[in-house]
Amino acid sequence: MERLQPLNLLVMAIVVVTCLPIHEVAHGLAADHLGDHTARNSGRLTLNPLAHLDLFGTLALFLFGFGWARPVPVDVGNLKHKKRDMALVALAGPGANLLLAAGMMVLYKVLLYTPLNTFSYNGIVIRDGLAWWMLYAPVLGSDGLVMGNLLIYIAVTVLSTSLYLALFNLLPIPPLDGSRILEAFLPWKLWVKVARYQNAIYLVMIVLLYLGVLTIPVSYGGYYLFQALDWLTRPVELLMGLLL
């Protein structure tokens, strides 16, 4: 129910209009670069979220923290190396989310060293990115969001959701991006058999999301990716510490 609190809904709305359009535009740009201009001709090379949102995928993002958008149209016939290029197009979406997460981690670290960060633990203002994330989450459920930290919370929510979106979409389950990557390695006849049951697999995926089964590997993976980005951006903390 915490996700349905008004302020959290506002923050997730910001996530929806950033993470999902960037993911889909990356697919379209990759396809466009590889010779298929279907997305460009369909008006999908835009960051306007209304051009990309999928009802169930958006609801999943609000309820579970990761979801999907309406797929960008790709005409495989226009690709020179069909299997390889389709896999690259599929990989572009999660890749864009990872790049967005890296950028947001830098912004997050910078904001931690500004007066916006008023969150303290035992009287000490938390500057460490991972500690802030781990300690602040329980506070949200009980005391609500401290308005002075709203911008930081938006940054870390976009960051963590971008990681979850990347990992979730890499699952080799139709119609997610991971299935397109898997297609490049499967014999054509076997893939046709899998694709035949795509609608049924889609419904099963919705049920598994509802039951929380799919959230386990994605959540663990997101946590470790967060740790990796936190470590890679330690120089930002050192620089901000010297400046301030």
Side-chain angles (χ1 to χ4, degrees), residues 23-38:
H23 180 100
E24 291 305 320
V25 168
H27 284 314
L29 287 174
D32 197 65
H33 178 73
L34 292 169
D36 175 44
H37 309 301
T38 307

Side-chain angles (χ1 to χ4, degrees), residues 10-237:
L10 173 62
V11 173
M12 286 308 298
I14 295 172
V15 170
V16 165
V17 300
T18 54
C19 297
L20 294 183
I22 286 173
H23 180 100
E24 291 305 320
V25 168
H27 284 314
L29 287 174
D32 197 65
H33 178 73
L34 292 169
D36 175 44
H37 309 301
T38 307
R40 179 182 297 277
N41 296 334
S42 302
R44 296 293 301 277
L45 296 187
T46 173
L47 290 176
N48 180 357
L50 297 178
H52 304 292
L53 296 187
D54 173 88
L55 176 60
F56 291 109
T58 303
L59 288 175
L61 187 61
F62 273 93
L63 295 174
F64 308 113
F66 42 87
W68 58 94
R70 189 162 54 91
V72 162
V74 178
D75 187 344
V76 182
N78 292 327
L79 302 175
K80 185 176 181 180
H81 304 283
K82 294 177 174 52
K83 276 194 170 185
R84 185 204 67 181
D85 290 353
M86 194 63 211
L88 291 174
V89 170
L91 190 59
N97 284 132
L98 290 176
L99 288 175
L100 174 62
M104 294 307 297
M105 177 64 86
V106 173
L107 175 62
Y108 172 48
K109 293 283 183 79
V110 171
L111 291 174
L112 286 177
Y113 282 84
T114 70
L116 282 171
N117 181 18
T118 62
F119 180 66
S120 62
Y121 185 72
N122 290 334
I124 301 174
V125 176
I126 301 298
R127 304 293 185 191
D128 181 83
L130 185 61
W132 197 98
W133 187 45
M134 297 298 291
L135 291 171
Y136 201 68
V139 175
L140 289 176
S142 54
D143 302 329
L145 185 63
V146 179
M147 291 303 294
N149 290 326
L150 177 59
L151 190 58
I152 302 176
Y153 180 59
I154 291 173
V156 74
T157 304
V158 173
L159 159 60
S160 55
T161 306
S162 292
L163 293 177
Y164 295 147
L165 277 172
L167 289 171
F168 176 70
N169 280 282
L170 285 173
L171 292 175
I173 304 172
L176 301 179
D177 297 326
S179 67
R180 298 298 183 186
I181 298 171
L182 178 64
E183 180 183 355
F185 299 96
L186 288 181
W188 176 251
K189 289 184 179 180
L190 179 57
W191 175 250
V192 169
K193 291 181 180 179
V194 174
R196 189 178 302 166
Y197 300 101
Q198 180 168 314
N199 290 337
I201 294 173
Y202 179 83
L203 292 176
V204 171
M205 182 183 70
I206 298 295
V207 173
L208 292 178
L209 270 175
Y210 178 77
L211 296 176
V213 176
L214 289 180
T215 64
I216 297 172
V218 174
S219 295
Y220 273 103
Y223 172 74
Y224 288 116
L225 269 179
F226 190 102
Q227 282 189 310
L229 286 179
D230 180 53
W231 180 79
L232 288 171
T233 54
R234 286 292 178 183
V236 177
E237 295 179 48

